[in-house]
Amino acid sequence: HRLLLPHAGQCRDTLRRFCLAPCRMQVRQPPPTRSRERSCSPSNPYTSASLGRPGNISSHIPTQVVNGIRSPDTKRARFAMASSDTEGSDIGMPARPVPLVKLGQSIPTEDLESLKATLEADSAVRDRVTPLAKDGLLAIDHAIHCYHCGQYEEAETKMIIADEHVVATLDGVESSPNPSYLRWHPEISKALEKFILGKNLSCFLLNGSLPPRTHFARFKDEEYLLGMIGLCHELNRYSVGRASVGDAASVVICCDLVAGLFQQFLAFDMRNGNLRRRYDSVKYCVRRLEDLLYELSLTGAFDAAARTVPAKNMMSVLLDDFAAMVEAMQIYDNTREEMIKRTRDVQKVAKQAIFSLHRGDLKVAEQKLSETQGIAVKVYKELIVNNPTLRSGSFSGAVEEYAEARLFQLWLQEDGVIIGPSHATFAGLDMQPHEYLGALADFTGEVGRYAVQSAVKRDETAVHKSLAAVLTVQRLWMDMNPGGKLGKKEGEVKQNVTKLEHVVYELSLVKATGRKVQASSLTSVGGTDDGGGMEQE
């Protein structure tokens, strides 16, 4: 402060002249005097005694004359700055990125084309069917609204439109490469459920009856039951409207019908899921209808002696259908329980095989993977072939775990080769595209673990090999662009790439220090037994 404060005024004036010089050049100035000519020469305003000293940035800015006015040439100035950067100025151009590793060997071309074709066909069917389901659902909602408003002709017209859209939706779903997976799409399943509801409500209001189960032969039992549960809620709404005008007889019919349906639902041993949650709401419909009857009984508006005759006639048509559905769902649930128990072994042994691979015990890993493959093929032939809807869930997850283990094993043994879904080790499982791609994404996580273990031992070659494999999977994923539920896996792959790039960077830091790198005490991760070993790792 003591040194600079006496010269503050002089510094301020100098900076002001430097900052305002470009602005002065844009305005015509009178002929300069001798003193002004020394401070700012019109011929070269940036090379005066005060501003044009060697090394000043202003000396590098070219000028131009437009309409007699001299001003900075911004385009030439930018080009001059860029050129000076390449010539070694203080502000340099950023270097172009150099690949850390070369991409590894991808899956065979035939498998790649097959996966793309299957995914594109599935996507095309989904894109074609989903709008049909939405239009059908909209028509059904419109029809139900018209029924409650008493506009029966318009409601029937909308139901005809809905019938056409739902039939087209079912045709599209059945032509899909994976119909069981597409059928449970939210828009499609809701449209099928609402269609059953609308048809039953239409028959109830117009004919005083309910159609038999055979009228919905193309629908699954669960879809039919969900539609009947929805009918109970619509009958509750209808009863409130009829009770408002004193029509106790219609309320009695609805109450007995809903109570009869609820009694049939009690025969099912429903597992936890959407159907079980929706079924629990039927008892509240029964209670609400009974409350309506109690409130109407205070006015003496109905004859209790004749209350059950119409409802008994309607339920008699459905008794045999419900008994058949109870038996079929019981067989299905027993098969499902057996499948879950057996596929649990597939998943457990596959995880043990992956752990053995990380510990370097390739022989034990091969034994476990052979055992896993045998169990999975047997479950597929005995249970899944006859019940395709059982594939999604436990079995699909077990197959994905097995595929992940095989990918990791053969990648280790065959020097970075990534096998495709048509490999011999997947024979007999009918590997689905989403199962293989899910396993491929999880495979990058195992490669990341292997890279960290290699980095502990300062094995730079193995780390680079791991990064190349993960980058290859990421490129493959971009080419596929599966979307849907697999979209979450894309984030995991990207995260694994980032982690491995950081591992490579950290190894480069160790190498740049020039220190002698001692071999890690972990010459092999873990031991040879199947249990334990995680603490040592």
Side-chain angles (χ1 to χ4, degrees):
H1 286 84
R2 294 192 192 97
L3 293 173
L4 294 178
L5 190 58
H7 305 283
Q10 183 180 357
C11 292
R12 183 179 65 249
D13 295 338
T14 304
L15 289 173
R16 184 181 300 169
R17 288 197 303 272
F18 179 80
C19 295
L20 294 180
C23 301
R24 290 172 180 168
M25 291 189 307
Q26 299 176 8
V27 183
R28 288 183 181 273
Q29 299 291 342
T33 61
R34 184 178 298 274
S35 59
R36 183 176 179 82
E37 190 172 341
R38 291 182 60 188
S39 61
C40 185
S41 173
S43 61
N44 194 354
Y46 292 101
T47 58
S48 63
S50 59
L51 301 180
R53 295 185 178 91
N56 194 308
I57 191 172
S58 62
S59 62
H60 299 283
I61 300 179
T63 60
Q64 61 181 347
V65 179
V66 180
N67 297 328
I69 303 175
R70 185 177 297 276
S71 61
D73 188 349
T74 55
K75 292 184 178 179
R76 290 172 59 196
R78 286 196 294 268
F79 177 77
M81 291 295 292
S83 301
S84 64
D85 290 340
T86 60
E87 295 172 0
S89 64
D90 295 337
I91 305 175
M93 293 292 291
R96 294 183 179 182
V98 177
L100 298 176
V101 295
K102 293 182 179 180
L103 293 181
Q105 183 177 351
S106 184
I107 66 174
T109 306
E110 297 80 7
D111 288 340
L112 182 62
E113 296 299 329
S114 177
L115 282 173
K116 284 185 177 180
T118 304
L119 290 175
E120 289 174 359
D122 197 10
S123 178
V125 172
R126 184 173 61 252
D127 293 341
R128 186 180 74 252
V129 170
T130 304
L132 292 173
K134 289 182 178 179
D135 293 341
L137 181 61
L138 182 62
I140 296 167
D141 288 336
H142 196 166
I144 293 173
H145 172 77
C146 292
Y147 280 130
H148 285 295
C149 295
Q151 301 170 351
Y152 295 104
E153 293 183 359
E154 185 176 357
E156 286 300 303
T157 303
K158 292 296 181 182
M159 283 304 301
I160 293 174
I161 297 174
D163 197 338
E164 296 175 354
H165 284 88
V166 170
V167 170
T169 300
L170 286 173
D171 292 340
V173 168
E174 292 169 358
S175 66
S176 170
N178 192 359
S180 300
Y181 182 78
L182 182 60
R183 196 180 189 100
W184 294 114
H185 187 278
E187 298 290 344
I188 296 174
S189 62
K190 193 173 182 181
L192 300 179
E193 169 195 337
K194 276 291 187 73
F195 179 76
I196 295 172
L197 161 60
K199 280 293 186 180
N200 280 277
L201 183 63
S202 174
C203 289
F204 175 80
L205 294 176
L206 300 180
N207 304 325
S209 62
L210 294 179
R213 173 69 177 88
T214 54
H215 189 75
F216 307 100
R218 298 183 67 181
F219 295 81
K220 304 293 184 183
D221 287 343
E222 187 169 348
E223 295 166 351
Y224 178 80
L225 292 176
L226 287 171
M228 298 303 290
I229 291 172
L231 176 65
C232 294
H233 289 276
E234 293 299 330
L235 292 179
N236 194 351
R237 177 186 175 188
Y238 164 78
S239 298
V240 172
R242 298 312 301 165
S244 300
V245 297
D247 185 6
S250 297
V251 179
V252 169
I253 294 174
C254 292
C255 181
D256 291 341
L257 178 58
V258 173
L261 289 173
F262 180 64
Q263 184 178 1
Q264 296 299 319
F265 287 140
L266 290 175
F268 290 91
D269 184 14
M270 297 182 183
R271 61 181 183 275
N272 292 332
N274 185 36
L275 182 59
R276 175 59 182 267
R277 290 191 295 269
R278 298 281 297 279
Y279 150 75
D280 288 338
S281 65
V282 178
K283 60 186 177 184
Y284 299 107
C285 294
V286 176
R287 187 177 69 179
R288 178 57 182 155
L289 290 169
E290 290 175 348
D291 290 342
L292 284 176
L293 285 181
Y294 168 72
E295 293 162 0
L296 290 174
S297 68
L298 299 178
T299 64
F302 70 94
D303 183 10
R307 58 173 295 187
T308 58
V309 176
K312 281 185 176 180
N313 293 337
M314 281 187 281
M315 284 302 303
S316 61
V317 181
L318 302 178
L319 291 179
D320 293 338
D321 294 334
F322 270 90
M325 284 189 290
V326 168
E327 183 179 359
M329 291 191 71
Q330 186 64 42
I331 295 174
Y332 181 84
D333 287 342
N334 292 338
T335 306
R336 178 176 175 271
E337 290 296 328
E338 182 182 358
M339 182 271 298
I340 291 175
K341 290 179 181 178
R342 294 170 66 176
T343 54
R344 191 180 296 122
D345 296 334
V346 175
Q347 199 162 16
K348 180 181 67 175
V349 179
K351 287 182 180 295
Q352 291 176 354
I354 292 174
F355 185 58
S356 298
L357 290 172
H358 281 296
R359 298 158 69 191
D361 200 342
L362 301 181
K363 184 176 180 180
V364 173
E366 174 59 32
Q367 293 174 355
K368 291 186 176 297
L369 286 176
S370 299
E371 178 186 355
T372 302
Q373 184 181 8
I375 299 173
V377 171
K378 196 172 182 181
V379 171
Y380 174 75
K381 291 180 178 179
E382 295 178 0
L383 303 178
I384 305 300
V385 172
N386 297 325
N387 299 277
T389 56
L390 287 176
R391 186 177 189 103
S392 62
S394 298
F395 183 77
S396 183
V399 170
E400 187 175 317
E401 191 73 29
Y402 166 72
E404 175 190 351
R406 278 295 187 189
L407 283 165
F408 186 48
Q409 178 204 27
L410 295 176
W411 178 78
L412 289 174
Q413 292 180 351
E414 300 184 10
D415 194 22
V417 173
I418 300 177
I419 61 174
S422 64
H423 196 268
T425 54
F426 301 142
L429 294 175
D430 190 21
M431 179 79 67
Q432 299 297 313
H434 66 276
E435 295 169 350
Y436 175 77
L437 291 176
L440 198 62
D442 295 338
F443 158 73
T444 61
E446 302 303 332
V447 172
R449 288 182 60 194
Y450 170 79
V452 172
Q453 295 170 8
S454 301
V456 170
K457 294 181 286 188
R458 304 299 189 259
D459 188 350
E460 190 175 358
T461 303
V463 175
H464 286 181
K465 171 186 170 183
S466 303
L467 179 58
V470 177
L471 287 173
T472 302
V473 173
Q474 187 182 34
R475 175 68 62 84
L476 177 65
W477 202 274
M478 291 177 180
D479 293 339
M480 291 293 179
N481 191 21
K485 293 182 178 179
L486 289 173
K488 298 179 181 178
K489 298 281 189 179
E490 182 178 3
E492 297 177 7
V493 175
K494 188 181 298 185
Q495 186 178 10
N496 290 331
V497 170
T498 303
K499 289 180 179 179
L500 279 178
E501 288 175 345
H502 278 279
V503 172
V504 172
Y505 164 68
E506 290 164 359
L507 278 180
S508 69
L509 292 180
V510 174
K511 188 176 181 180
T513 58
R515 295 179 301 170
K516 275 192 174 183
V517 180
Q518 296 180 354
S520 172
S521 58
L522 287 175
T523 55
S524 62
V525 180
T528 57
D529 56 339
D530 297 337
M534 288 296 288
E535 294 82 8
Q536 187 175 359
E537 181 179 357

